[in-house]
Amino acid sequence: MPGKSRDSLEPVRWKNGVLEVIDQTRLPGRLVYVRMRTVDQVSSAIRSMKVRGAPLIGVVGGYGLVLAALKIRNGDLSQARSRLRKSADSLISTRPTGVNLRWAVERVFKASSRVDSAATLGDELRREADAILREELEAAHKIGHFGAPLIEDGDTVLTHCNAGSLATARYGTALAVVRSAVEDGKNVSVIATETRPLLQGSRLTAFELSRDGIPVRLICDSAAAQLMARGAVDKVVVGADRILGTGHVTNKIGTLPIALGAKFYDVPFYVAAPVSTLDLVTDVSRVVIEERDQREVLLIGGRRFSPRNVGALNPAFDITPPELVTGIVTDRGVVGQPLAENIRAMFG
Ligand code: MRU
């Protein structure tokens, strides 16, 4: 259906001094917003993954700092800034792997140097957070614009985790590419991995695509290579939580085996992300992989499926080396191989 925007969810909104986000832990059963008035509520929503997806976490983290600033109505400006600094650091520590959170919170914090009285901090920071929301939304549509030509009419696209409206300001990153191809009139269907342990694929990707009328089928994470082996996947498109200057892509755990399978079976493997996901300074050896609570692996829907005396490892992300990536779709265009050289030329 050309021209019709396939994007019916608004994951974050600011209403009369209150930050509202869709509670993603309740999906797909219930579509409800959580209302937040304090920075601590924002930190805990990010930690508990009511809000998740690197670009969305960035936007929401920025507004979290606005909420902290709005509590400071008067008093000494330098004291106010050091209080804000503490709030910023504590927000940033909630999810260490994705780079967008730090990027957005630092950008909003920097806005505090533009005011000359504590009373105007809240308004100034709010302007910056609004700008980030606006720019991230534009970036998502540009990713769709640059990525859509990579998808052919009739393609089946495999995606992992949720890199859709629910992971961004809306419209998505990987799913922006799919949405935009569909809006151009192409027939595209999606295979979504369920994405253990927290099932972002089944709970969120399947939810938002089916809601928007885009054909989607679920698979177990372990079925991806078998489907590629029998030619059932034309392209892989995934999101990213941090892309290094070398082209290493940090994304939801389970991305690396999909990239390995895609390389082996000659399926193009694309990563879609806004420029705010680029980290041109960190070395791959220093990327912190968040290790989450082992109960996320041991329990499913609150029920234990393993012996009581057995523990679990729960790394939340993996790192795909650049040689497995066909191209990176950004809001400034598609970066092809050799990634490091082209990233330097485009963003360095
Ligand atoms: O742990 P999550 O759900 O916050 O994981 C992040 C992701 O959604 C994915 O890794 C995604 O591909 C990057 S965000 C568009």
Side-chain angles (χ1 to χ4, degrees), residues 69-291:
L70 285 170
K71 301 274 180 244
I72 307 169
R73 281 278 163 223
N74 43 42
D76 177 68
L77 183 57
S78 73
Q79 269 176 17
R81 288 194 82 224
S82 55
R83 272 172 65 189
L84 273 185
R85 187 64 253 168
K86 280 200 190 112
S87 297
D89 290 340
S90 127
L91 272 167
I92 288 168
S93 70
T94 53
R95 299 283 317 266
T97 302
V99 76
N100 313 61
L101 176 61
R102 175 182 290 277
W103 168 83
V105 169
E106 292 297 358
R107 186 171 147 180
V108 172
F109 177 75
K110 228 184 195 170
S112 68
S113 61
R114 296 201 291 260
V115 302
D116 50 17
S117 111
T120 55
L121 266 176
D123 291 338
E124 190 62 30
L125 266 60
R126 160 90 198 277
R127 266 191 284 281
E128 197 65 31
D130 286 345
I132 292 175
L133 174 61
R134 238 183 359 258
E135 290 167 23
E136 289 291 270
L137 185 54
E138 274 167 32
H141 282 271
K142 286 184 185 155
I143 289 169
H145 166 78
F146 288 118
L150 302 171
I151 308 298
E152 284 161 62
D153 190 24
D155 269 358
T156 298
V157 174
L158 185 142
T159 192
H160 184 56
C161 193
N162 172 263
S165 291
L166 289 164
T168 59
R170 74 192 284 179
Y171 203 65
T173 54
L175 296 192
V177 173
V178 170
R179 283 198 161 91
S180 187
V182 171
E183 286 160 18
D184 286 348
K186 294 175 192 166
N187 272 318
V188 183
S189 76
V190 174
I191 292 177
T193 55
E194 60 179 350
T195 320
R196 277 283 288 147
L198 294 181
L199 301 173
Q200 289 93 329
S202 7
R203 293 189 305 103
L204 309 176
T205 298
F207 170 75
E208 64 170 82
L209 289 180
S210 58
R211 185 182 156 98
D212 290 348
I214 297 175
V216 56
R217 286 167 299 169
L218 281 165
I219 58 167
C220 300
D221 299 352
S222 47
Q226 168 59 18
L227 287 165
M228 290 191 258
R230 70 169 200 233
V233 177
D234 298 297
K235 314 264 153 58
V236 175
V237 188
V238 297
D241 298 80
R242 185 184 291 250
I243 299 172
L244 303 183
T246 48
H248 286 85
V249 174
T250 307
N251 193 46
K252 178 52 55 192
I253 191 76
T255 304
L256 174 59
I258 295 172
L260 288 163
K263 184 76 175 178
F264 191 82
Y265 291 111
D266 227 1
V267 177
F269 179 93
Y270 292 105
V271 175
V275 170
S276 56
T277 302
L278 289 178
D279 169 3
L280 302 183
V281 294
T282 303
D283 185 82
V284 64
S285 62
R286 303 193 75 91
V287 173
V288 176
I289 299 293
E290 177 186 3
E291 185 73 31

